Amino acid sequence: MSSERPINPRFDEDVHFNLSSGPARYQTYTDKPVQYFTVVDKEDGSVLGYLWADDEEAAAFESREAGGPRAMNEASFWIRRLRRAKERGLPSSQALAELYGDPDTAGKGRPLPGSLADAPNAAAVEALAQGN
């Protein structure tokens, strides 16, 4: 009798992963020009982050680094709203306009009136959120 354990032949097989569909999402980066607005805290008016979108397929929320945990937590709320807009088939620019026009949000933040602006791309908004 041998003291060696038999090796399972399945260890030599290739592993294959099949991508399954998940929730509808916009792309989270673009080099195209974007529009964005500032999201502020409902209680004290501090800046929590920025919601941006291009004309068709990209949109995201950038938490303001200096906003701390409250800003990071706010990101999940805006991301869920973007996913719901994508599920309804809205182009990203239309989703941005809809979210900007809705001051009664359920999260901690709200769109800052008059803050809708243009940026050359998503990286510019990200740099704004990081304080650069």
Side-chain angles (χ1 to χ4, degrees):
M1 221 184 203
S2 172
S3 62
E4 291 186 32
R5 297 171 82 183
I7 297 174
N8 188 332
R10 289 184 41 195
F11 289 154
D12 290 329
E13 293 177 9
D14 288 337
V15 176
H16 299 277
F17 295 98
N18 295 321
L19 183 63
S20 63
S21 64
R25 298 178 185 185
Y26 295 109
Q27 296 172 16
T28 58
Y29 187 79
T30 184
D31 284 328
K32 296 178 182 177
V34 299
Q35 278 198 310
Y36 70 95
F37 65 82
T38 304
V39 175
V40 295
D41 192 303
K42 289 179 183 176
E43 293 176 12
D44 64 11
S46 63
V47 176
L48 297 174
Y50 306 91
L51 191 75
W52 63 263
D54 70 359
D55 284 339
E56 293 298 321
E57 286 299 318
F61 181 81
E62 298 291 341
S63 297
R64 183 169 173 250
E65 198 169 289
R70 192 171 186 108
M72 292 299 293
N73 290 337
E74 189 67 13
S76 64
F77 172 75
W78 291 95
I79 290 168
R80 281 194 307 274
R81 293 187 76 193
L82 285 171
R83 284 184 186 159
R84 286 195 294 266
K86 178 69 173 175
E87 287 170 355
R88 293 190 345 251
L90 294 179
S92 55
S93 58
Q94 190 174 343
L96 181 82
E98 182 179 285
L99 295 175
Y100 180 68
D102 183 12
D104 288 331
T105 60
K108 303 278 185 203
R110 63 173 176 76
L112 179 65
S115 67
L116 192 60
D118 296 315
N121 53 39
V125 181
E126 184 178 348
L128 183 64
Q130 293 175 356
N132 297 334

